[in-house]
Amino acid sequence: MREDLKKYYDVVVVGGGHNGLVAACYLAKAGKSVVVLEKNNYIGGATTSQKTFPEFEAYLSRYSYLVSLFPKEIVEELGLTINLLQREIASFTPYDSKSGLLISNCSEEVSKASVLDLGFGSSEWEGYQKILNMQTRFAELVWESFLEPLKSKIEWEKYFGDNGESALWQAMVEKPIGELIENHVKSDVLRGVLLTDARIGVETHAHDNSLLQNKTFLYHIVGNKTGEWRVPQGGMGALVKELFQKSLDLGVHFEVNAEVEKIEEQSVLVNDGLINCEHILLNGAPQLLQKLVPKPIQKQYDFLPSEIVAKDGTAFKINILLKRLPKLKADTSPEDAFAGTFHINQTYSQQERAYLESIEGEIPEIFSCEMYCHTLTDDSILSKDLNSKGYHTITVFGLDMPYTLFNIENNTSLKTTVWEKFLKGINAYLEEPFEGCIAVNSQNELCYECKSALDLENELGLPKGNIFHNDLSWFYAENETDIGQWGVETVFPRITICGAGARRGGAVSGIPGRNAAMKILGK
């Protein structure tokens, strides 16, 4: 450890991801002495930006990419300068060799014409608008509560009823989201676009009785009461840089290459040194508690590791550097198609097939995925030279690739298989081979990288590659003991969770970081 690292801090934050940085800022601002311990040699965790392809000045957000859930309240309360840029195009979904569904963030006329082209008449547009209006209304009712202590389900249901929204409550909270989608739109394509928000990163389907798909859907549509996903200017690394600088300004200490070996009630063992403290914030998966907290202390507090077993993550990430955008068969410009979320093999029926194949332990025949081009909205992550030459970055997020499919022996070969399936999927809609548009390094290697759920576990410590650490929680207290709590508490009085595995965690939000700070400060 550094010589200037003290032996006592009011708060030790274990893990330097964005949630830990948010918590550190709030606590230091309130006068607490805070140290952040990060096992890697960089700060940021999954929200880092890195020079992924060493020969090119391109800084990609390798693991996370868009922002919806980061509250304006956190930005204002901490005095952050973060620019979140609107994508002119929300999504593009090719559905035959010449046609594609184009949804605009700026022109209702463009979106309506494209929906009508699906061939299901005006009722399809009206049904789609009905769902969007329901999403907005739901977000208006629940969003502010994400920064407040948890209320009971009964209280929430009454609140919806008092506001004349009992039907909305039933559709979003009590019934499978598949019913809502099927009741309002008929097109396999448009149904699929809506369903993707319910399945990102999790093993579920439209009519799953567990309603995991509903919870996942809600996290994608409530952010800042609009649910719009925006591009962080400068990449995710810009958010981390801003939080890191704010932390330093407030007096937070940082230690990288600091592998925490043990957490006791008021001390942390790191790199063979002991730091005493009043509170410990774990900015990592809750599963780490069973590894880091000594067994005698676990038994003393009746800690049950079986209650926080991670579910399989299903995400598959691909990061690509293009030397030019490819030409499409459809009458849509590449700049429009790739600026929003470009859906491939994500119709309603295709997703159903892929899900069924994956739960049978097979790599799905088709690769359901979506991608977008950060640099069409924000070119600041590229050097001036690359910008002048027309280079672009592509981020691909795949579904239905569960952790259990991958192991040490097959990880490399299966990633190659999925990559080939991706190329087959995208090339069906292009005038030229996608691989011909990818940048090539001096070793004549294509500039792309694939990340399976196993890689996400090994590189980021995500249990079973689950990007949410656990299944996402509801926005309400799911048991009586959580009512009035912040959703960050553990059975250990002085150990608090501030990562994605907290209640209302998941995605790039900063919410569990702020809530953990509020818990410690007694707000």
Side-chain angles (χ1 to χ4, degrees):
M1 293 192 297
R2 293 199 325 259
E3 291 183 1
D4 63 337
L5 200 64
K6 297 185 295 185
K7 297 296 183 182
Y8 175 87
Y9 289 87
D10 293 327
V11 184
V12 173
V13 180
V14 179
H18 77 284
N19 279 311
L21 298 180
V22 167
C25 286
Y26 275 102
L27 292 166
K29 188 178 179 182
K32 302 290 185 182
S33 59
V34 183
V35 63
V36 176
L37 305 176
E38 171 54 53
K39 68 177 182 179
N40 294 311
N41 62 0
Y42 62 89
I43 296 295
T47 47
T48 183
S49 288
Q50 298 176 353
K51 191 176 176 181
T52 308
F53 309 108
E55 296 179 23
F56 298 90
E57 288 291 325
Y59 292 86
L60 283 74
S61 303
R62 300 176 78 179
Y63 304 104
S64 55
Y65 45 105
L66 294 173
V67 177
S68 170
L69 289 166
F70 202 90
K72 295 175 182 176
E73 289 86 347
I74 293 180
V75 174
E76 293 168 358
E77 289 168 357
L78 295 182
L80 303 176
T81 302
I82 299 171
N83 294 322
L84 300 178
L85 308 176
Q86 184 181 54
R87 300 183 297 171
E88 290 188 11
I89 301 300
S91 68
F92 174 72
T93 310
Y95 52 87
D96 60 37
S97 61
K98 294 293 183 181
S99 305
L101 173 64
L102 187 68
I103 302 297
S104 172
N105 278 324
C106 303
S107 172
E108 183 176 298
E109 183 180 351
V110 167
S111 300
K112 183 175 182 179
S114 195
V115 170
L116 292 178
D117 283 345
L118 294 170
F120 288 82
S122 60
S123 62
E124 190 77 349
W125 173 252
E126 292 165 2
Y128 179 52
Q129 290 304 296
K130 175 67 173 177
I131 291 178
L132 295 184
N133 290 336
M134 292 173 71
Q135 291 178 185
T136 299
R137 180 58 176 152
F138 194 91
E140 290 172 349
L141 291 172
V142 308
W143 172 245
E144 292 178 356
S145 75
F146 276 62
L147 296 178
E148 299 172 350
L150 291 158
K151 295 185 290 189
S152 71
K153 182 179 181 181
I154 292 174
E155 187 175 354
W156 269 112
E157 185 173 7
K158 182 179 184 300
Y159 177 72
F160 270 70
D162 290 345
N163 282 275
E165 298 292 357
S166 293
L168 179 62
W169 174 268
Q170 289 294 315
M172 292 285 198
V173 179
E174 301 291 358
K175 299 177 180 178
I177 205 69
E179 292 187 21
L180 173 69
I181 294 172
E182 292 169 15
N183 286 341
H184 290 87
V185 298
K186 305 302 179 187
S187 163
D188 196 29
V189 174
L190 187 51
R191 283 180 174 181
V193 170
L194 290 164
L195 183 63
T196 56
D197 281 343
R199 304 189 62 247
I200 293 293
V202 296
E203 193 171 74
T204 188
H205 60 94
H207 293 278
D208 188 345
N209 288 329
S210 76
L211 300 184
L212 173 58
Q213 75 278 30
N214 289 48
K215 288 183 279 187
T216 308
F217 185 78
L218 296 180
Y219 276 78
H220 282 85
I221 59 105
V222 299
N224 288 295
K225 297 185 180 181
T226 68
E228 183 181 351
W229 289 80
R230 294 192 169 222
V231 176
Q233 188 172 27
M236 281 297 178
L239 172 61
V240 169
K241 183 178 180 180
E242 179 73 9
L243 286 168
F244 178 59
Q245 187 58 55
K246 178 62 65 172
S247 299
L248 291 176
D249 293 344
L250 290 167
V252 177
H253 291 260
F254 286 87
E255 182 84 355
V256 295
N257 298 313
E259 182 83 36
V260 172
E261 301 170 27
K262 183 169 64 173
I263 293 175
E264 295 196 348
E265 293 182 83
Q266 289 184 266
S267 66
V268 173
L269 181 65
V270 56
N271 294 354
D272 297 322
L274 193 67
I275 300 176
N276 295 306
C277 57
E278 187 72 17
H279 294 280
I280 299 164
L281 295 188
L282 180 60
N283 184 28
Q287 291 83 351
L288 283 174
L289 291 172
Q290 63 194 78
K291 173 186 176 183
L292 297 177
V293 178
K295 292 294 188 291
I297 298 179
Q298 293 184 28
K299 291 180 179 178
Q300 178 184 349
Y301 289 102
D302 296 323
F303 177 66
L304 300 175
S306 60
E307 293 183 354
I308 52 171
V309 175
K311 305 292 181 64
D312 270 14
T314 62
F316 192 98
K317 284 291 304 294
I318 307 175
N319 297 307
I320 307 168
L321 181 65
L322 296 181
K323 57 189 177 184
R324 69 175 185 277
L325 293 173
K327 298 177 182 178
L328 283 85
K329 294 177 180 177
D331 186 22
T332 303
S333 72
E335 289 77 14
D336 282 346
F338 286 94
T341 301
F342 191 129
H343 297 278
I344 305 172
N345 295 329
Q346 286 190 325
T347 68
Y348 207 65
S349 57
Q350 284 174 325
Q351 289 188 61
E352 181 181 16
R353 283 199 304 275
Y355 165 77
L356 292 173
E357 290 168 350
S358 71
I359 63 172
E360 291 297 325
E362 303 172 7
I363 292 286
E365 182 64 27
I366 61 169
F367 180 42
S368 291
C369 63
E370 54 193 51
M371 59 184 168
Y372 95 109
C373 177
H374 181 112
T375 43
L376 283 171
T377 304
D378 166 40
D379 62 13
S380 69
I381 65 172
L382 298 180
S383 67
K384 291 182 179 179
D385 179 56
L386 292 181
N387 275 314
S388 67
K389 292 177 180 177
Y391 278 63
H392 286 286
T393 63
I394 295 289
T395 297
V396 181
F397 201 107
L399 283 65
D400 300 305
M401 294 291 163
Y403 173 82
T404 49
L405 293 177
F406 300 88
N407 56 56
I408 296 175
E409 288 75 25
N410 70 16
N411 191 43
T412 299
S413 62
L414 283 189
K415 286 195 293 185
T416 299
T417 298
V418 179
W419 169 250
E420 292 171 350
K421 288 179 179 291
F422 164 71
L423 290 177
K424 180 179 179 180
I426 183 63
N427 282 336
Y429 303 105
L430 301 180
E431 290 282 5
E432 56 182 328
F434 185 79
E435 49 269 47
C437 301
I438 301 175
V440 179
N441 66 17
S442 60
Q443 303 300 310
N444 203 35
E445 298 168 329
L446 296 178
C447 291
Y448 77 92
E449 65 170 6
C450 297
K451 301 288 187 184
S452 68
L454 181 61
D455 294 324
L456 297 180
E457 179 179 65
N458 292 335
E459 296 172 18
L460 296 174
L462 302 179
K464 295 186 178 180
N466 191 321
I467 60 175
F468 305 121
H469 295 177
N470 293 311
D471 285 347
L472 289 168
S473 65
W474 286 108
F475 55 93
Y476 54 76
E478 297 181 48
N479 56 65
E480 288 189 7
T481 58
D482 282 344
I483 298 173
Q485 299 294 309
W486 285 97
V488 297
E489 297 80 2
T490 72
V491 298
F492 310 107
R494 298 184 184 275
I495 303 175
T496 303
I497 298 290
C498 69
R503 302 287 185 187
R504 300 171 295 189
V508 179
S509 74
I511 291 170
R514 182 187 184 278
N515 288 348
M518 295 302 106
K519 170 65 179 179
I520 288 178
L521 296 173
K523 299 292 185 179

